[in-house]
Amino acid sequence: GIQVEQSPPDLILQEGANSTLRCNFSDSVNNLQWFHQNPWGQLINLFYIPSGTKQNGRLSATTVATERYSLLYISSSQTTDSGVYFCAASNTGNQFYFGTGTSLTVIP
Amino acid sequence: GAGVSQSPRYKVAKRGQDVALRCDPISGHVSLFWYQQALGQGPEFLTYFQNEAQLDKSGLPSDRFFAERPEGSVSTLKIQRTQQEDSAVYLCASSLGVGRVGNTIYFGEGSWLTVV
């Protein structure tokens, strides 16, 4: 299967700061998604981004498929951004491989 | 429905007991996935359905785990003779399409299983 590595594993930010989360994957993919897991455990889909760049408010994501990595940018962080961020990759559509996540804490 | 619905949200089972976890995907979604998430880890794939067909069950950890989706909508994950290592959150997800076509996957809130 696809090996997915995320960095950093933990991140503490002051409210208002910006951050970049990275996801490396070991094989070519045709489906790459970013999720935010809230404190109640639910995974909320942030982006479907197998290639290119997308933006949604304070969040944006870029995937460089040829170099097998994706980045999630969080600007002007808020306490509600706290949680664990996962990327998940697939090259079949049947099975998604998740990284171990980046745990983000935003302090006021 | 509006989102993926899972029940029960919380289940405490005695070791050796059988449990059944239900997933109601978003209406019309063809693909359905089950994942297992241990504390502090990322979700790990268990099984995949396309309509009622179970196309991939390579992630099921043992023959005590069984999943079905008989009518292509609601799915049930059954764990027989539960053991302590089965304690985890069981996540169900669905997506509209199939295969390689770009599909956003939507997760339910999970079923938290504790085996004592």
Side-chain angles (χ1 to χ4, degrees):
Chain A
I2 303 171
Q3 305 300 313
V4 178
E5 295 181 353
Q6 291 187 242
S7 60
D10 300 282
L11 187 58
I12 300 175
L13 295 177
Q14 198 77 41
E15 197 169 27
N18 304 327
S19 63
T20 301
L21 282 57
R22 186 176 179 102
C23 171
N24 294 332
F25 40 93
S26 64
D27 203 350
S28 59
V29 301
N30 51 29
N31 196 321
L32 189 290
Q33 302 191 27
W34 283 95
F35 295 88
H36 175 220
Q37 190 163 42
N38 65 26
W40 298 271
Q42 185 165 15
L43 285 160
I44 307 298
N45 191 290
L46 299 175
F47 293 102
Y48 159 71
I49 186 160
S51 64
T53 297
K54 288 186 178 179
Q55 181 157 6
N56 184 3
R58 297 182 295 103
L59 303 182
S60 64
T62 296
T63 297
V64 183
T66 53
E67 297 187 21
R68 298 181 183 172
Y69 73 88
S70 183
L71 303 174
L72 178 69
Y73 305 96
I74 305 174
S75 64
S76 304
S77 57
Q78 300 177 359
T79 55
T80 52
D81 295 332
S82 297
V84 184
Y85 290 80
F86 289 101
C87 69
S90 177
N91 53 19
T92 64
N94 291 359
Q95 188 170 148
F96 285 81
Y97 296 88
F98 282 75
T100 52
T102 292
S103 177
L104 173 65
T105 302
V106 180
I107 53 178
Chain B
V4 178
S5 178
Q6 292 187 244
S7 62
R9 286 294 319 280
Y10 304 95
K11 175 71 178 178
V12 178
K14 291 185 178 179
R15 190 173 55 181
Q17 196 175 4
D18 297 349
V19 300
L21 308 176
R22 175 188 169 105
C23 174
D24 201 340
I26 295 172
S27 179
H29 277 199
V30 170
S31 294
L32 185 144
F33 309 81
W34 282 99
Y35 278 80
Q36 181 190 58
Q37 186 176 21
L39 193 63
Q41 301 295 315
E44 294 197 358
F45 173 80
L46 293 176
T47 188
Y48 166 74
F49 289 86
Q50 184 180 122
N51 295 308
E52 69 278 3
Q54 188 175 21
L55 298 187
D56 189 341
K57 54 182 181 179
S58 61
L60 295 176
S62 78
D63 59 7
R64 295 186 298 102
F65 287 71
F66 172 76
E68 61 183 4
R69 194 186 184 196
E71 298 179 358
S73 56
V74 172
S75 176
T76 303
L77 176 68
K78 298 179 180 178
I79 309 172
Q80 297 178 324
R81 304 182 303 282
T82 51
Q83 300 178 6
Q84 284 189 315
E85 60 261 32
D86 300 334
S87 296
V89 180
Y90 291 86
L91 297 165
C92 178
S94 69
S95 67
L96 182 60
V98 303
R100 300 184 180 194
V101 176
N103 288 298
T104 298
I105 54 177
Y106 300 91
F107 279 86
E109 293 180 303
S111 289
W112 299 59
L113 174 64
T114 302
V115 181
V116 297

